[in-house]
Amino acid sequence: MHEKILVVDDEREIADLLEVCLKNEGFEVCKFYDGTEALACVEKGGLDMAILDVMLPGIDGFRICQKIREKYFYPVIMLTAKVEDMDKIMGLTLGADDYITKPFNPLEVVARVKTQLRRYTTYNRGEAPDGPAAEYDVRGLIINKDSHKCTLYGKPVSLTPMEFSILWYLCENKGRVISSEELFEQVWGEKFLDNNNTVMAHIGRLREKMKDSGRRPKYIKTVWGVGYQIE
């Protein structure tokens, strides 16, 4: 079965180019130039991934991402022509897994699509590619690599594949302070840039889901100027 990818961009040349590149890789593409039509497609279900432009007529990409996360956990990549960090943080906070700033190389987009889908597929199948099944219990927070499930005091915590990978890596290195650079390069598999706020945004979303205070966190602690730690 070929994965079905939603592509939404009001710049027709970009949307058409992404459609061609993805179809050449064997993906099925649902392409739209308008946010309202794209949201209708989302609500029908059956998608495996979404690539969303931020600025769209009708409904913007942030809103579509937010609606996706109300029901689905498949990967979301945001496309933005803006370079402001707040736009990137906004998308990641709403549940996006990655963002790409225009102009971009379409081959880079395809590479990131494959990475995200590979992680998502592993998550759904409950596979543990890095070794045998394992579980961590951190003061009522239980994360299981084999089932890819997370619970807090017995209640399930719904995590995206990216959020699960971040939390697992921190638990796997419990007691050690992990820098943003190390966390990004281990989880995303890409080179970290100094102005990259991706990790911070995902940590913020994890804390929100775990009802963990940013000022007095019980689980993910910030060691200022160094990184993050689960004790």
Side-chain angles (χ1 to χ4, degrees), residues 25-48:
E25 294 295 325
F27 297 112
E28 182 179 347
V29 178
C30 297
K31 178 184 65 177
F32 297 95
Y33 309 118
D34 177 270
T36 303
E37 294 179 354
L39 183 56
C41 178
V42 168
E43 292 174 343
K44 289 180 181 178
L47 297 172
D48 297 294

Side-chain angles (χ1 to χ4, degrees), residues 192-204:
F192 180 83
L193 301 176
D194 290 338
N195 62 348
N196 194 326
N197 289 302
T198 305
V199 172
M200 181 178 68
H202 276 81
I203 292 292

Side-chain angles (χ1 to χ4, degrees), residues 203-212 214 220-222:
I203 292 292
R205 187 167 176 81
L206 269 171
R207 284 174 172 159
E208 180 182 344
K209 289 186 173 184
M210 296 160 58
K211 296 179 173 56
D212 201 17
I220 304 177
K221 297 185 178 181
T222 300

Side-chain angles (χ1 to χ4, degrees), residues 87-98:
D87 290 298
K88 299 172 182 177
I89 292 173
M90 173 67 79
L92 295 170
T93 301
L94 291 174
D97 297 281
D98 201 358

